[in-house]
Amino acid sequence: MKVLLVQPSRLEPDGSVYRNKTRWLLGMTLPYLAALTPPGIDVAIKDDLYEDIDFGEPCDLVGLTCMSHQASRAYQIADEFRKRGVPVVIGGFHATLAPDEALQHADGVVIGEAEGVWSKVLEDAASGHLEGRYLSSQLSDLKGLPTPRYDLLDLSRYRIPNLPAQTTRGCPYACSYCEVTQVYGARFRYRPPEEVVEEVRVLMSLGKRKFVYFVDDIFNAHRKHAFAVMEGLRPLNVAWTCLCTANVGDDAEMLDLMRASGCRHINIGMESVSPESLKSVNKKQNHADKYAEQFAAIRKRGIEFSLNVMFGLDGDTKESFDATVTKLIEYRAPLSFMFILSPRVGLKIRDELMAQGRIDHSDWDRYHSYECVFEPKNMTREELEDGFWRAQRQFYSYGSIAKRILFPPNRHTIQSLIPNLFFRWGVNRKIHPLTYY
């Protein structure tokens, strides 16, 4: 039996497939699914972004995963294989939250996590009788997880030399703009620390990648577990990066151990500098009045950080763009990834906006977070998009770059300068930094 796993690209406004020679960041979903596949089954992975899909390639099952902005392309790929009699199964956030839609283009949909159902999917595909919906009766306990099959990918195609791993799954919070609790549940789960450390040891033995990227939604959510993982990492001399909540800056002991164990970068979902906007999306864990102190504590340890910012929240006004950039410069944020609120399928905030008559289409190709697809509360759609691009140009202006990372210089100055200049080139041409990933 041969299984082909495909990572879809996305469609351009003219309907063409977005292509690039490389992808910036390596993902772990399909390599991990390949690792879940039992021995004896031939598995291949294709990345639709940089390589052509041969729809005539002999295979017994095609597996696809997608986010909302990739759904249309995923459906195109699925339809082409099914025309040729090849069964298709689709998973990922979008299919999990829109299974009826996905089933119009697939023979099976994996709803939620794959651990409890993937073997059943493979058995049914082999017998020629896929059931349609596959939903595990329980969430994975994350014990004994296999190491992702990165050997199935051409790692030279990914510009950032990272290898993804995970230590936890789920989220204890319930932000209305996020799918995590719907897909992974509100219960926070974590892998045995010794298994995480052993996986990192294996990943580092590959020899060609420079650091590990922990894909957990919140690395610091379970303090005792995070400490156990970091203590295990210390002897490995490995560089790593992760996602954390802003309140990691309140925990000096954790920051010290992060640095000592090899942490070089933290990505933080700051979302907004406005308390009203944070409240509007139930972001209770963030406190805007603490940001300056929290980010200063991270910077003091020599750990680089990046901040995610979201515009279009109900507390935002036309003044929010300039106010946000002013604060980002004040925080000396090395990098900031800015987005427009994207009320994707299955989200609580989508239900709220739909009830208010503020969403008028479900063209998933446009749900990529740098176009307004809903009616903002305190400005027009055009004002939101114009302010969004203006804020990015201001943040990546030469003056801003100088204030944030050049004066005074630090150990990360050169490391931060290169992406800042690259993103400056892009945003001045309305190329969103997200596009590079």
Side-chain angles (χ1 to χ4, degrees), residues 142-161:
L142 304 189
K143 295 178 181 178
L145 302 186
T147 300
R149 294 285 308 277
Y150 297 123
D151 59 298
L152 297 177
L153 293 169
D154 180 359
L155 296 181
S156 67
R157 293 281 199 159
Y158 301 87
R159 298 184 192 182
I160 297 179

Side-chain angles (χ1 to χ4, degrees), residues 171-182 186 217-218 245 269-271 277-286 310 313 341 344 346-350 352:
C171 179
Y173 304 109
C175 304
S176 62
Y177 60 84
C178 180
E179 298 101 330
V180 171
T181 53
Q182 285 97 321
D217 293 287
I218 308 177
T245 46
M270 185 188 79
E271 315 312 351
S277 292
L278 293 172
K279 183 179 179 180
S280 73
V281 291
N282 200 39
K283 189 85 175 184
K284 296 178 180 179
Q285 65 272 34
N286 280 18
M310 189 181 302
L313 309 183
L341 171 66
R344 297 176 295 276
L347 297 182
K348 181 179 179 182
I349 199 164
R350 181 177 180 83
E352 294 172 355

Side-chain angles (χ1 to χ4, degrees), residues 22 44 60 73 84 112 144 172 206 220 233 272-273 314 327 378 408:
T22 58
D60 302 292
R73 176 54 180 165
R84 294 161 174 80
L206 297 179
N220 62 315
L233 294 176
S272 179
V273 299
D314 275 1
K327 284 293 185 181
N378 300 313

Side-chain angles (χ1 to χ4, degrees), residues 66-72 93-94 179 344-345 364-365 367:
C66 66
M67 300 290 285
S68 290
H69 68 285
Q70 302 164 321
S72 295
F93 277 18
H94 187 84
E179 298 101 330
R344 297 176 295 276
V345 64
W364 304 128
D365 298 336
Y367 279 67

Side-chain angles (χ1 to χ4, degrees), residues 114-359:
E115 285 94 350
V117 298
W118 184 237
S119 60
K120 173 65 172 171
V121 170
L122 295 173
E123 292 172 4
D124 290 352
S127 66
H129 299 288
L130 284 168
E131 291 183 351
R133 293 171 182 255
Y134 292 86
L135 173 63
S136 179
S137 60
Q138 60 185 9
L139 296 173
S140 170
D141 63 7
L142 304 189
K143 295 178 181 178
L145 302 186
T147 300
R149 294 285 308 277
Y150 297 123
D151 59 298
L152 297 177
L153 293 169
D154 180 359
L155 296 181
S156 67
R157 293 281 199 159
Y158 301 87
R159 298 184 192 182
I160 297 179
N162 74 296
L163 285 171
Q166 61 179 327
T167 78
T168 64
R169 199 179 291 174
C171 179
Y173 304 109
C175 304
S176 62
Y177 60 84
C178 180
E179 298 101 330
V180 171
T181 53
Q182 285 97 321
V183 176
Y184 294 137
R187 183 168 64 87
F188 190 72
R189 292 163 288 144
Y190 46 92
R191 298 178 67 188
E194 63 276 10
E195 293 187 10
V196 175
V197 174
E198 179 56 30
E199 179 170 292
V200 170
R201 195 190 310 275
V202 171
L203 293 179
M204 289 300 97
S205 70
L206 297 179
K208 297 181 180 180
R209 302 266 100 179
K210 293 183 179 179
F211 68 93
V212 171
Y213 166 43
F214 291 119
V215 300
D216 314 32
D217 293 287
I218 308 177
F219 179 83
N220 62 315
H222 192 287
R223 191 173 189 269
K224 182 178 179 180
H225 179 263
F227 270 61
V229 170
M230 291 188 288
E231 289 291 358
L233 294 176
R234 291 184 74 164
L236 301 186
N237 192 31
V238 59
W240 56 277
T241 181
C242 66
L243 293 82
C244 286
T245 46
N247 59 14
V248 70
D250 298 328
D251 193 334
E253 188 179 3
M254 174 168 281
L255 289 175
D256 289 340
L257 184 53
M258 291 179 83
R259 178 62 190 177
S261 62
C263 182
R264 297 295 179 264
H265 178 271
I266 303 172
N267 177 252
I268 297 172
M270 185 188 79
E271 315 312 351
S272 179
V273 299
S274 163
E276 293 78 12
S277 292
L278 293 172
K279 183 179 179 180
S280 73
V281 291
N282 200 39
K283 189 85 175 184
K284 296 178 180 179
Q285 65 272 34
N286 280 18
H287 302 279
D289 60 335
K290 294 185 177 181
Y291 286 157
E293 183 178 349
Q294 290 168 336
F295 302 150
I298 298 170
R299 190 169 55 249
K300 178 182 177 182
R301 270 74 179 183
I303 300 175
E304 192 179 36
F305 63 96
S306 55
L307 302 176
N308 299 335
V309 176
M310 189 181 302
F311 291 117
L313 309 183
D314 275 1
D316 289 354
T317 66
K318 288 182 286 185
E319 289 72 39
S320 296
F321 307 103
D322 293 341
T324 299
V325 174
T326 297
K327 284 293 185 181
L328 291 172
I329 294 173
E330 176 186 318
Y331 303 149
R332 293 183 59 201
L335 290 169
S336 178
F337 297 101
M338 301 182 190
F339 308 93
I340 293 175
L341 171 66
S342 184
R344 297 176 295 276
V345 64
L347 297 182
K348 181 179 179 182
I349 199 164
R350 181 177 180 83
D351 294 338
E352 294 172 355
L353 293 173
M354 288 286 286
Q356 298 167 17
R358 294 168 61 188
I359 295 180

